Structure formats: C-alpha cells, structure tokens
Amino acid sequence: MRISVIGCGYLGAVHAACMAELGHDVVGIDVDPAKVALLSQGRAPFHEPGFEEVLRRNVEAGQLRFSTDFADLAGAQVHFVGVGTPQVQGGYAADLTYVRDAFRSLLPFLGEHPDGPMLVVGKSTVPVGTAASLAAQVRPTGAHLVWNPEFLREGFAVQDTITPDRIVYGLPADPAAADAAREVLDTVYARLLEQDIPRLVTDYATAELVKVAANSFLATKISFINAMAELCEATGADVTQLAEAIGYDDRIGRKFLRAGIGFGGGCLPKDIRAFMARAGELGVDQALTFLREVDSINDRRRDHIVNLAREGLGGTFENKTVAVLGAAFKPDSDDMRNSPALDIAARIAGEGATVVITDPAAGPRLQAERPSANVAPDAHAAAAGADVVLLLTEWQQFKNLDPATLKDVVTTPWIIDGRNALDPATWRAAGWTYTGIGRP
Ligand code: UDX
C-alpha cells in the first residue's frame, strides 16, 4: 500500500521504517530539513538499537522516502500522523499545535483514492476528545479517521512496532465508515494480524484513553515501588527484595518495580500531567488526584539523591567533584527529555560542585547542546578525582564496571547507585562505600 507518515520523530520515523519493512511504499514527512536529510541517507537521527538497519535497508530498496514537502504525500491511501504533543509552557496540558498543523496541511490532499477509501490514522498521544473534533474536519473530504495509539518503548522501538502486545483501532461511530476503515487498516497491518497479535476495536474516546491509562498505570507502578523505597529507607528494609517477593504474585508481576531515581522521558511525565489537565476540563479531576501523588513521589526521588550526596559530602557541594554516569532518561537511548539523571546533575552543579558526566550515547549530544557541560568519554574519565560517583542511568557498560580499577582513579571510593543496578557486596568487597536506593 502507499502510505505516508507525518512527523518523523521517535514514533514517526520508526513507524515509517517499519511500515516499509512490512512491504509498504512509504513516504515520511517532517518540517525539519536536517532530520529529513539524515533519514533520506538512511541515517538515524537518534540512538535506537536496530532502527538504522531497517531504515537503511528500506531507503536503499526504494521503499522509503522522506520529504519536507506535504505535496509528496499525494498518492498515499493511508496517512499516519505521529507528531509530538509536548507539555505546554507553564501548564500541565498537552500542546496540540503540531497535531493541528499536521491536519491542516494534510486536509487538502484527502479525497478519493483509486485503491479504496482513504484513511487518516492518528498515532500521537492526545487528550480524550481530540479525535472526535479532528474527525469533523476529515469527514467532509470523504476520508475516514482512525485513532490507533502507539505503545512503543524507546530502546525496543522496532520490536514494539513490528510485534506489538496489542493493536487498538478507535473507529468512527458510523458503522459503514467503521467497517471501511477497519478493512483498510487490517490490510496495512496484515502481517501483524497473521501473527495473532490481539486487535481491539473501540470508539475514539476509548482508544485515546487506553494510551494514557497504560502510561498512568506504569508511572503508578514505578512510584509505588519508590514510595516503598522511602519506607525501606526509614526502616532499614531492602526494596529490591520486597519488589521480588511481591512480584511473584502474578497479579502484581515483577516488571516496572525497579526502585531508583524514578521515571523520565518524553512520555510518562507529560502524559500523566496532560491526563490530569484533561480530567479537570471534564470535571472529573478527583478521579486522577492520585496521579499528582505519583508525580510528587517521582520528584522526591530526585531530591533524595541530591540530599544524600550533599549530606555525605559534609553538607555542601562547594569544591567537590561529582561524577555522573548516565545522561539519557534510560539506557539504550540518547533521549534526555525530562531525564532524571540530567536533572540531578544540573541541580548538583547549581549548588557549586564540579560535575563530570558521561553517557555512551547521549554524551556527544549533550556536549553539542550544552558546550559548557563537562562531558567525559567514559566512566573512568568521568570518575577521575571524584568525591562521589552517581550511577543514574543503568547502561550495561556501567553495570559491567570493575570496582577495583575505578577505585584507582577516584578521590573517595563512594558510589550512589541511583538505579540499584550494581551488586552491593562486590563493590563493598572492593573497598567502596555503596549506597543504593531503599536498601540498607
Ligand atoms: C513509555 C511506555 O513504556 C511506552 O509503552 C509508551 O509508548 C511510551 O512511554 P519509554 O518512555 O520509552 O516508554 O520508557 P519506559 O521503558 O517506560 O521507562 C520510562 C522511565 O521509567 C525511564 O526513565 C525508566 O528508567 C523508568 N523506570 C522504568 C523505572 O524507574 N523503574 C522501572 O521499574 C521501570
């Protein structure tokens, strides 16, 4: 099928490449000429394992093109919209500017298609009710709108797109339109549906809510275990054992119960805030008051690390050197949006410490974006002369560090393991003071 994907950020670029991988003829549209130039050469504009291979293969095969010109999407039967919905400046709500701009630019190209009904497929995470209002714009053109949320995780983006846990179609209320739209989208995803990936058919509002409900649940799970870490810190208990023990109950499950410095990234924080803002508009803000607490618990973890380090350094960061291992919001990514690691590093630098930071993927990007930052090429270089080492993003390279050789370069062998990623016994045996999160 001929497909366009509007918005070539994390979601859109991966979606475009994966649709080409499924055998479709795809054009990706983005307003950023630099991004389009890179993608057109088969080069990934961000770090994502496995993505560049899929991208390059399909660009070279002529199955995948990128352009800044909306006119290049003419001829496509299915148009995916995967632009960003960031948090508004000075508020909690989602900023829908990019979604509205994308639809405004797309509308003139909608109409009859020789191969069947034309489809607009929204993938962006939007406040519930958005699809219904956009459908009113799309309907007069004869095209149908489907809301088809995306659940991909950074670091697993290709796998999550080609073999998702589930596919959700939010379809129009009109039964004939819904049938026509479902049939076209089933053809797009035929190779996924053959693998028996569950496909749920809902109305627009449910599809929009599925996405934010899923992210709210994940954020709640992380903040729950971080709240337990606060209890463990007050009592001398061990949150990693607690998580393991409760996780054996398969109603609870072991995933997303890693206590640490909390969640960040381009999705979880802004999605729970936008959800609260939307609930307020709908007059049901009480239903989501708990998310405010989820957000506060998450923020407190960042404060906790800063306080721990300051106390251990004698009450001040002045004249101290702090090594920070990790800048990305999670490993296998160079994404630093709302990164807990970067936030903690910035706060400590703001209190007068010399902070040296390293990250295998995000390091070069950080140096380019903030030329004044002290970015080191690796953990040993970052830790040279450090009074404390903070492990804040659990890259495999950091988990594999040899405590004996790292000890040789630091001033004081003290490590705060913000992700509970290291084995305390090994580090203590090598002569380090080890401080974890919610563990004695
Ligand atoms: C998330 C959702 O998982 C995904 O389904 C959605 O489509 C987009 O948002 P992502 O932002 O890529 O994906 O990251 P995720 O793996 O969910 O991690 C989010 C944050 O939570 C990271 O900062 C991570 O370090 C943190 N985290 C995760 C924890 O602190 N503890 C955990 O147990 C798990």
Side-chain angles (χ1 to χ4, degrees):
M1 294 182 90
R2 293 182 66 186
I3 288 179
S4 85
V5 179
I6 300 163
C8 295
Y10 226 104
L11 190 171
V14 173
H15 193 71
C18 290
M19 290 302 102
E21 186 75 3
L22 293 178
H24 302 302
D25 179 5
V26 182
V27 58
I29 306 285
D30 198 283
V31 293
D32 179 351
K35 196 180 284 174
V36 165
L38 271 178
L39 289 164
S40 300
Q41 295 162 28
R43 287 165 58 202
F46 44 78
H47 179 92
E48 177 62 40
F51 168 57
E52 200 163 77
E53 288 99 283
V54 178
L55 173 72
R56 190 178 311 122
R57 184 164 55 238
N58 286 285
V59 167
E60 281 171 5
Q63 292 266 116
L64 176 60
R65 291 166 298 124
F66 294 92
S67 172
T68 51
D69 187 356
F70 270 79
D72 285 328
L73 58 67
Q77 185 186 355
V78 177
H79 304 281
F80 284 96
V81 178
V83 294
T85 52
Q87 190 175 334
V88 289
Q89 294 277 341
Y92 267 18
D95 180 352
L96 294 180
T97 309
Y98 304 117
V99 174
R100 292 201 190 96
D101 287 353
F103 274 78
R104 194 175 309 117
S105 303
L106 175 60
L107 281 173
F109 298 96
L110 300 180
E112 298 295 314
H113 193 280
D115 299 337
M118 211 185 253
L119 226 59
V120 180
V121 187
K123 294 204 80 70
S124 304
T125 302
V126 291
V128 56
T130 306
S133 73
L134 293 170
Q137 296 174 23
V138 171
R139 214 174 296 121
T141 68
H144 304 300
L145 177 71
V146 180
W147 216 264
N148 171 221
E150 182 59 58
F151 304 101
L152 68 81
R153 296 160 299 166
E154 296 189 14
F156 301 89
V158 171
Q159 176 192 323
D160 285 353
T161 307
I162 304 262
T163 50
D165 297 331
R166 74 295 206 192
I167 310 175
V168 177
Y169 295 180
L171 295 178
D174 172 62
D179 279 349
R182 184 177 50 215
E183 207 172 295
V184 177
L185 205 50
D186 278 352
T187 313
V188 173
Y189 290 136
R191 298 233 330 245
L192 274 55
L193 299 174
E194 279 164 16
Q195 303 166 52
D196 290 333
I197 289 168
R199 184 204 63 177
L200 288 93
V201 170
T202 71
D203 54 24
Y204 288 145
T206 307
E208 292 166 313
L209 283 171
V210 167
K211 170 68 195 215
V212 280
N215 277 355
S216 298
F217 193 82
L218 295 172
T220 303
K221 242 185 139 176
I222 298 168
S223 278
F224 173 82
I225 202 65
N226 280 330
M228 294 305 109
E230 291 187 16
L231 267 298
C232 289
E233 279 151 12
T235 55
D238 187 331
V239 74
T240 60
Q241 291 183 320
L242 182 142
E244 186 183 354
I246 63 172
Y248 278 115
D249 181 336
D250 66 8
R251 292 170 304 174
I252 296 172
R254 290 173 71 165
K255 291 183 181 159
F256 267 65
L257 285 182
R258 294 191 315 276
I261 57 173
F263 57 81
C267 293
L268 259 45
K270 65 111 178 154
D271 285 353
I272 63 169
R273 292 176 188 157
F275 200 14
M276 285 187 265
R278 186 67 185 129
E281 289 166 4
L282 294 166
V284 287
D285 42 332
Q286 277 192 334
L288 298 186
T289 313
F290 73 96
L291 287 179
R292 204 170 280 280
E293 201 49 48
V294 165
D295 207 10
S296 317
I297 293 166
N298 197 52
D299 279 345
R300 282 208 296 275
R301 289 289 84 189
R302 301 180 186 192
D303 300 338
H304 176 68
I305 294 280
V306 177
N307 294 340
L308 259 182
R310 191 195 308 99
E311 269 169 42
L313 293 173
T316 176
F317 284 109
E318 300 277 344
N319 302 317
K320 300 292 182 195
T321 300
V322 178
V324 172
L325 310 186
F329 83 104
K330 69 177 201 180
D332 296 317
S333 169
D334 61 355
D335 194 342
M336 292 177 283
R337 285 176 294 171
N338 203 333
S339 164
L342 209 54
D343 185 18
I344 290 165
R347 288 195 210 180
I348 291 176
E351 290 194 34
T354 300
V355 173
V356 187
I357 191 162
T358 186
D359 188 289
R365 173 174 282 197
L366 176 64
Q367 190 70 88
E369 287 174 8
R370 300 189 196 182
S372 63
N374 296 314
V375 180
D378 57 39
H380 280 82
D387 296 295
V388 60
V389 177
L390 311 184
L391 192 165
L392 301 184
T393 311
E394 69 278 33
W395 282 92
Q396 196 59 45
Q397 287 92 320
F398 302 153
K399 294 205 246 180
N400 292 345
L401 278 171
D402 172 20
T405 56
L406 197 67
K407 187 163 170 263
D408 290 340
V409 303
V410 297
T411 298
T412 311
W414 177 28
I415 187 155
I416 301 182
D417 179 4
R419 295 292 187 177
N420 287 341
L422 305 174
D423 176 39
T426 309
W427 282 72
R428 286 181 181 137
W432 284 76
T433 302
Y434 172 93
T435 309
I437 300 293
R439 30 186 1 189

